[in-house]
Amino acid sequence: EDQVVNGHDEKESNPFAEYMWMENEEDFNRQVEEELQEQEFLDRCFQEMLEEEDQEWFIPSRDLPQAMGQLQQQLNGLVVSDGHTSEDILSKSNLNPDAKEFVPGVKY
């Protein structure tokens, strides 16, 4: 049976192996601090990127004045039809169905 001395087996080469990082505690602390600063920097960059992206996008609720938002709601509620069918409109039209299509800048 293995003999245990001060809570450690005799076969264990260095009972303080798990605490060896403390030997270079200052280096360890510096390394952890650098990692934390790098993570903080990356988080700030990512947040700035998201804020810039938000500024470039057009968001009506944010970018339009309140009156424009109300006007937009009213426009969304409008219906194009006024009760007349398309045949009804065509029968009363004064337009020439055989006329050439209007193209801006082209002279006929």
Side-chain angles (χ1 to χ4, degrees):
E1 194 173 300
D2 293 333
Q3 189 177 17
V4 176
V5 179
N6 294 332
H8 295 284
D9 292 340
E10 267 185 35
K11 294 178 184 175
E12 195 173 325
S13 61
N14 184 356
F16 301 105
E18 65 184 278
Y19 302 104
M20 290 307 291
W21 66 269
M22 290 181 174
E23 179 181 12
N24 301 318
E25 187 174 1
E26 291 170 3
D27 293 337
F28 178 80
N29 287 344
R30 187 173 5 88
Q31 180 184 356
V32 169
E33 190 172 325
E34 285 174 3
E35 289 173 5
L36 290 173
Q37 288 173 348
E38 183 177 342
Q39 184 61 43
E40 184 181 325
F41 176 74
L42 290 174
D43 289 345
R44 278 198 321 263
C45 289
F46 189 69
Q47 188 61 38
E48 285 180 23
M49 182 187 70
L50 288 176
E51 288 171 3
E52 286 177 12
E53 198 172 79
D54 278 347
Q55 290 172 1
E56 291 174 5
W57 290 4
F58 175 75
I59 302 170
S61 60
R62 180 195 68 197
D63 298 334
L64 288 177
Q66 282 303 101
M68 288 297 289
Q70 292 170 354
L71 181 61
Q72 186 177 15
Q73 287 177 348
Q74 291 173 352
L75 288 173
N76 289 340
L78 290 178
V79 178
V80 175
S81 173
D82 61 355
H84 298 290
T85 62
S86 59
E87 292 89 20
D88 206 15
I89 294 171
L90 289 175
S91 67
K92 296 177 183 177
S93 174
N94 296 340
L95 298 175
N96 179 0
D98 299 323
K100 292 183 180 178
E101 183 177 342
F102 172 73
V103 180
V106 175
K107 294 184 180 183
Y108 295 100

